[in-house]
Amino acid sequence: MPVDVCVRPSVAIVGGGPAGLMAAEAAAGLGAAVDLYEARPSVGRKFLIAGRGGLNLTHAEPFEAFVSRYGAQAAVLRPMIERFGAAEIRQWARGLGVETFVGSSERVFPVDFKAGPLLRHWVHRLHGAGVNFHVRHRWRGFSEEGMSFDKPDGPTNVVHPAWVFALGGGSWPQLGSDGAWVPSMKNAGIAVEPLRPANCGFDVSWSEHMGTRFAGVPVKSVVARAVESDGTVHERAGEFVITGMGVEGSLVYALSSVLRRCLELTGEAELVLDLVPGRTAAQLEASLARPRGKRSLSEHLKRHAGIDGVKAALLREFTGAEALRDPTRTVEAMKALRIPLLRPRPLAEAISTAGGVRFDEVDEGLMVKRLPGVFCAGEMLDWEAPTGGYLLTACLATGLAAGTSAAAWCKASGPA
């Protein structure tokens, strides 16, 4: 098998997503020669697809609230996000000729909402900085000579002084984030938390009527709650969508990490809905206690509680007919409708990934402790966050940290 030995002080990046591209930019900016290896025919494919509905770059909320979105890994990610957070990302985009604005939800978008122009300008700048792109190079694992790749004309081994791995998680495998790197990392003795779906939908055991009649219908203006096994309550307002298999959408995604943990720990989880968040239970009970006259129950619920369509269907799905004849029990169901969840949807359908290389396997510069000169960045690391710009921010921030550390390590260690 041929061996491509790079004897110059260079950094190799494996993975052409946002974390890998940012690692390449950081290393090149510090004077390192950079070679970037990407399995697909072009870089940034998931980045482009994620930006189709409007590229959410970051979030403009206050820093403490922002960093808290990373949950258990907030402390380890804090210094990296302090260095490259919302303000820095907006300035970086401006340097690429892309102006941004803050939306009503405090999410930050390019003014044209598009990912394509930013990616083109970014790749052009990386080429100008001397980054060498090697597409259709799929990493196959560690070898005695260095790293093993498959490329169009056959397998090869590549040797570089420093390596940054930014191979993504396990969601969206058709775009390259397939988690195929996990066995090789484990075989090298690196502890990897199992890859699990994050920002995902969940299966529900619908009746045939519910699963067919209302598939694709949004449930709007509700408040959803999820309760941790220790009793901690998480609550969000918004909307979600009924699917033929269960539930998905922004409100479900916001609570998905809690719901997934409940399923993992106890085998049970419930999405608890307030279908009428604008009215108190007392107000609703007083309204529903009025005589129905000749009106049907459906007409009565619509007129006095604003419950119809998909909300009425949900109420019937999880509340018995006898209970719906009792105003008190009906109101209890409206204000805390419990939807039992069976399981998360498959990882390949998820927006992002939980799990990955454990942070106790890397040092503060994201270098793998047992493999000097090998660094990890992006969704390969064991963190998760909700949608809203948090995912991309952490990918960029960890990419910057790993690329900076790799360039410094390469320079200090000298040529291979």
Side-chain angles (χ1 to χ4, degrees), residues 368-382:
V368 178
K369 295 174 183 177
R370 68 185 66 231
L371 295 174
V374 174
F375 302 78
C376 292
E379 279 195 80
M380 281 188 71
L381 293 165
D382 180 23

PDB file of all heavy atoms in Angstrom, residues 368-382:
ATOM      1  N   VAL A 368      -6.077  14.156  22.155  1.00  0.00           N
ATOM      2  CA  VAL A 368      -6.308  12.871  22.801  1.00  0.00           C
ATOM      3  C   VAL A 368      -5.091  12.532  23.658  1.00  0.00           C
ATOM      4  O   VAL A 368      -3.960  12.471  23.163  1.00  0.00           O
ATOM      5  CB  VAL A 368      -6.558  11.773  21.750  1.00  0.00           C
ATOM      6  CG1 VAL A 368      -6.751  10.418  22.423  1.00  0.00           C
ATOM      7  CG2 VAL A 368      -7.772  12.121  20.896  1.00  0.00           C
ATOM      8  N   LYS A 369      -5.309  12.304  24.921  1.00  0.00           N
ATOM      9  CA  LYS A 369      -4.196  12.151  25.863  1.00  0.00           C
ATOM     10  C   LYS A 369      -3.314  10.957  25.526  1.00  0.00           C
ATOM     11  O   LYS A 369      -2.087  11.025  25.666  1.00  0.00           O
ATOM     12  CB  LYS A 369      -4.753  12.009  27.286  1.00  0.00           C
ATOM     13  CG  LYS A 369      -5.469  13.249  27.789  1.00  0.00           C
ATOM     14  CD  LYS A 369      -6.131  12.994  29.137  1.00  0.00           C
ATOM     15  CE  LYS A 369      -6.909  14.209  29.607  1.00  0.00           C
ATOM     16  NZ  LYS A 369      -7.623  13.954  30.891  1.00  0.00           N
ATOM     17  N   ARG A 370      -3.921   9.879  25.065  1.00  0.00           N
ATOM     18  CA  ARG A 370      -3.123   8.678  24.796  1.00  0.00           C
ATOM     19  C   ARG A 370      -2.541   8.673  23.385  1.00  0.00           C
ATOM     20  O   ARG A 370      -1.799   7.752  23.034  1.00  0.00           O
ATOM     21  CB  ARG A 370      -3.972   7.426  25.032  1.00  0.00           C
ATOM     22  CG  ARG A 370      -5.095   7.230  24.047  1.00  0.00           C
ATOM     23  CD  ARG A 370      -5.957   6.031  24.413  1.00  0.00           C
ATOM     24  NE  ARG A 370      -6.668   6.230  25.651  1.00  0.00           N
ATOM     25  CZ  ARG A 370      -6.675   5.376  26.673  1.00  0.00           C
ATOM     26  NH1 ARG A 370      -6.007   4.245  26.576  1.00  0.00           N
ATOM     27  NH2 ARG A 370      -7.342   5.625  27.761  1.00  0.00           N
ATOM     28  N   LEU A 371      -2.889   9.673  22.564  1.00  0.00           N
ATOM     29  CA  LEU A 371      -2.388   9.746  21.191  1.00  0.00           C
ATOM     30  C   LEU A 371      -1.874  11.164  20.922  1.00  0.00           C
ATOM     31  O   LEU A 371      -2.574  11.977  20.308  1.00  0.00           O
ATOM     32  CB  LEU A 371      -3.499   9.392  20.193  1.00  0.00           C
ATOM     33  CG  LEU A 371      -4.049   7.963  20.219  1.00  0.00           C
ATOM     34  CD1 LEU A 371      -5.228   7.840  19.270  1.00  0.00           C
ATOM     35  CD2 LEU A 371      -2.952   6.972  19.854  1.00  0.00           C
ATOM     36  N   PRO A 372      -0.688  11.495  21.373  1.00  0.00           N
ATOM     37  CA  PRO A 372      -0.154  12.846  21.149  1.00  0.00           C
ATOM     38  C   PRO A 372      -0.170  13.210  19.666  1.00  0.00           C
ATOM     39  O   PRO A 372       0.191  12.407  18.802  1.00  0.00           O
ATOM     40  CB  PRO A 372       1.287  12.744  21.676  1.00  0.00           C
ATOM     41  CG  PRO A 372       1.227  11.649  22.700  1.00  0.00           C
ATOM     42  CD  PRO A 372       0.244  10.653  22.142  1.00  0.00           C
ATOM     43  N   GLY A 373      -0.647  14.422  19.386  1.00  0.00           N
ATOM     44  CA  GLY A 373      -0.727  14.887  18.012  1.00  0.00           C
ATOM     45  C   GLY A 373      -2.054  14.601  17.344  1.00  0.00           C
ATOM     46  O   GLY A 373      -2.261  14.994  16.196  1.00  0.00           O
ATOM     47  N   VAL A 374      -2.971  13.940  18.051  1.00  0.00           N
ATOM     48  CA  VAL A 374      -4.305  13.639  17.518  1.00  0.00           C
ATOM     49  C   VAL A 374      -5.340  14.439  18.310  1.00  0.00           C
ATOM     50  O   VAL A 374      -5.382  14.358  19.540  1.00  0.00           O
ATOM     51  CB  VAL A 374      -4.628  12.136  17.588  1.00  0.00           C
ATOM     52  CG1 VAL A 374      -6.070  11.866  17.162  1.00  0.00           C
ATOM     53  CG2 VAL A 374      -3.661  11.346  16.714  1.00  0.00           C
ATOM     54  N   PHE A 375      -6.158  15.201  17.618  1.00  0.00           N
ATOM     55  CA  PHE A 375      -7.137  16.094  18.232  1.00  0.00           C
ATOM     56  C   PHE A 375      -8.533  15.754  17.711  1.00  0.00           C
ATOM     57  O   PHE A 375      -8.687  15.185  16.628  1.00  0.00           O
ATOM     58  CB  PHE A 375      -6.810  17.556  17.896  1.00  0.00           C
ATOM     59  CG  PHE A 375      -5.444  17.993  18.343  1.00  0.00           C
ATOM     60  CD1 PHE A 375      -4.303  17.637  17.619  1.00  0.00           C
ATOM     61  CD2 PHE A 375      -5.274  18.764  19.483  1.00  0.00           C
ATOM     62  CE1 PHE A 375      -3.041  18.031  18.027  1.00  0.00           C
ATOM     63  CE2 PHE A 375      -4.013  19.167  19.899  1.00  0.00           C
ATOM     64  CZ  PHE A 375      -2.887  18.802  19.158  1.00  0.00           C
ATOM     65  N   CYS A 376      -9.552  16.117  18.470  1.00  0.00           N
ATOM     66  CA  CYS A 376     -10.940  15.905  18.056  1.00  0.00           C
ATOM     67  C   CYS A 376     -11.733  17.203  18.189  1.00  0.00           C
ATOM     68  O   CYS A 376     -11.460  18.018  19.073  1.00  0.00           O
ATOM     69  CB  CYS A 376     -11.608  14.815  18.908  1.00  0.00           C
ATOM     70  SG  CYS A 376     -10.948  13.166  18.648  1.00  0.00           S
ATOM     71  N   ALA A 377     -12.729  17.362  17.319  1.00  0.00           N
ATOM     72  CA  ALA A 377     -13.538  18.580  17.337  1.00  0.00           C
ATOM     73  C   ALA A 377     -14.946  18.283  16.843  1.00  0.00           C
ATOM     74  O   ALA A 377     -15.190  17.271  16.177  1.00  0.00           O
ATOM     75  CB  ALA A 377     -12.896  19.664  16.462  1.00  0.00           C
ATOM     76  N   GLY A 378     -15.858  19.189  17.125  1.00  0.00           N
ATOM     77  CA  GLY A 378     -17.219  19.117  16.615  1.00  0.00           C
ATOM     78  C   GLY A 378     -18.051  18.037  17.273  1.00  0.00           C
ATOM     79  O   GLY A 378     -17.866  17.705  18.454  1.00  0.00           O
ATOM     80  N   GLU A 379     -18.987  17.467  16.518  1.00  0.00           N
ATOM     81  CA  GLU A 379     -19.928  16.497  17.069  1.00  0.00           C
ATOM     82  C   GLU A 379     -19.295  15.144  17.364  1.00  0.00           C
ATOM     83  O   GLU A 379     -19.971  14.261  17.905  1.00  0.00           O
ATOM     84  CB  GLU A 379     -21.127  16.308  16.131  1.00  0.00           C
ATOM     85  CG  GLU A 379     -22.180  17.384  16.247  1.00  0.00           C
ATOM     86  CD  GLU A 379     -23.495  16.969  15.591  1.00  0.00           C
ATOM     87  OE1 GLU A 379     -24.260  16.215  16.217  1.00  0.00           O
ATOM     88  OE2 GLU A 379     -23.739  17.411  14.455  1.00  0.00           O
ATOM     89  N   MET A 380     -18.024  14.965  17.046  1.00  0.00           N
ATOM     90  CA  MET A 380     -17.335  13.748  17.484  1.00  0.00           C
ATOM     91  C   MET A 380     -17.183  13.722  18.997  1.00  0.00           C
ATOM     92  O   MET A 380     -17.033  12.653  19.585  1.00  0.00           O
ATOM     93  CB  MET A 380     -15.941  13.675  16.855  1.00  0.00           C
ATOM     94  CG  MET A 380     -15.908  13.202  15.428  1.00  0.00           C
ATOM     95  SD  MET A 380     -14.216  12.941  14.860  1.00  0.00           S
ATOM     96  CE  MET A 380     -13.734  11.474  15.777  1.00  0.00           C
ATOM     97  N   LEU A 381     -17.198  14.881  19.628  1.00  0.00           N
ATOM     98  CA  LEU A 381     -17.044  14.980  21.070  1.00  0.00           C
ATOM     99  C   LEU A 381     -18.392  14.772  21.758  1.00  0.00           C
ATOM    100  O   LEU A 381     -19.455  14.989  21.172  1.00  0.00           O
ATOM    101  CB  LEU A 381     -16.459  16.337  21.442  1.00  0.00           C
ATOM    102  CG  LEU A 381     -15.016  16.580  20.976  1.00  0.00           C
ATOM    103  CD1 LEU A 381     -14.664  18.059  21.060  1.00  0.00           C
ATOM    104  CD2 LEU A 381     -14.035  15.749  21.820  1.00  0.00           C
ATOM    105  N   ASP A 382     -18.336  14.405  23.026  1.00  0.00           N
ATOM    106  CA  ASP A 382     -19.531  14.029  23.775  1.00  0.00           C
ATOM    107  C   ASP A 382     -20.235  15.256  24.359  1.00  0.00           C
ATOM    108  O   ASP A 382     -20.089  15.579  25.537  1.00  0.00           O
ATOM    109  CB  ASP A 382     -19.152  13.048  24.887  1.00  0.00           C
ATOM    110  CG  ASP A 382     -20.350  12.616  25.714  1.00  0.00           C
ATOM    111  OD1 ASP A 382     -21.478  12.695  25.195  1.00  0.00           O
ATOM    112  OD2 ASP A 382     -20.153  12.200  26.877  1.00  0.00           O
TER     113      ASP A 382
END
